[in-house]
Amino acid sequence: VQDHTYAESRLWRCNVADLDDVRRFAGEFGDSLRAGGTPLDVLIHNAGLMPPTRTESPQGFEMSMAVHVLGPVLMTDLLADRLAGGHAVFVTSGGMYAQALRADDPDYRDGAYSPTTAYARSKRMQVELTGWMLHRWGPAGITVSVTHPGWADTPGVQDSIPGFRRLTRPILRDLEEGADTAVWLAGTRVPT
């Protein structure tokens, strides 16, 4: 006779672009963890999008910045008490190398909008904020990591940068290979 242990799973929904929904989710999810005395070990922020035109979140922020930066940072901050001693992982993109941090226009209000530029800017923000995130959450023992999954053949790559995909398709990672980087990092403990 083998002893089988099964994990219980529950689906939670959150519109990470909507800061009010992030607050709702963090409250309900945090309360459920507290009720069971359960810590949160890992929080991986991997939501991504590249809208073809400048789109705003419900609070009026440029959508890429809301999804990649504002929502994840707020969610981590609101769940920090349950994540204490755990790991927050932000999945970035090598596209960020194409853009400098635009402190003068973080919300992309000036100039002609480019979806790839907006995406790259928000991914640059994730990386640039790493020191601040470590300063903010490190005292609680939270490890903060920002990782690139490697170039993967995601729907975003397929739909948004088809020329890049055509050139790099032979070396693109599949979705599972892209996920393995964040999964490995989530299980790795590094000093904060």
Side-chain angles (χ1 to χ4, degrees):
V1 177
Q2 290 182 325
D3 180 25
H4 295 281
T5 304
Y6 297 94
E8 180 182 327
S9 63
R10 181 172 174 198
L11 177 65
W12 293 81
R13 294 188 183 273
C14 177
N15 178 354
V16 74
D18 183 344
L19 302 181
D20 292 335
D21 199 43
V22 171
R23 288 181 185 94
R24 177 208 53 83
F25 164 77
E28 291 175 9
F29 185 69
D31 288 348
S32 75
L33 293 174
R34 274 185 279 288
T38 308
L40 178 60
D41 296 316
V42 178
L43 184 56
I44 299 177
H45 297 291
N46 191 35
L49 83 162
M50 195 181 303
T53 59
R54 189 179 186 286
T55 307
E56 292 187 351
S57 71
Q59 289 75 30
F61 297 106
E62 190 276 321
M63 191 64 78
S64 294
M65 184 175 68
V67 168
H68 302 146
V69 181
L70 301 178
V73 167
L74 178 61
M75 183 183 294
T76 304
D77 208 49
L78 294 171
L79 293 172
D81 66 324
R82 299 311 306 163
L83 189 59
H87 199 157
V89 179
F90 291 75
V91 180
T92 193
S93 170
M96 69 102 181
Y97 290 116
Q99 291 296 314
L101 183 64
R102 289 290 308 269
D104 62 324
D105 187 24
D107 209 29
Y108 208 142
R109 294 192 181 277
D110 298 330
Y113 183 83
S114 162
T116 54
T117 300
Y119 180 87
R121 284 183 182 182
S122 64
K123 293 300 185 172
R124 169 66 74 177
M125 283 183 214
Q126 288 177 325
V127 172
E128 297 286 346
L129 285 171
T130 305
W132 175 85
M133 292 186 286
L134 285 168
H135 176 75
R136 181 157 181 91
W137 303 317
I142 298 172
T143 300
V144 178
S145 300
V146 182
T147 186
H148 184 291
W151 293 108
D153 196 15
T154 64
V157 168
Q158 296 164 13
D159 297 340
S160 302
I161 48 176
F164 173 83
R165 181 177 186 242
R166 270 191 306 281
L167 291 172
T168 60
R169 191 159 188 188
I171 62 168
L172 290 178
R173 304 175 87 199
D174 65 28
L175 296 178
E176 290 78 21
E177 291 168 331
D180 72 8
T181 305
V183 171
W184 175 83
L185 189 58
T188 303
R189 292 291 185 249
V190 294
T192 56

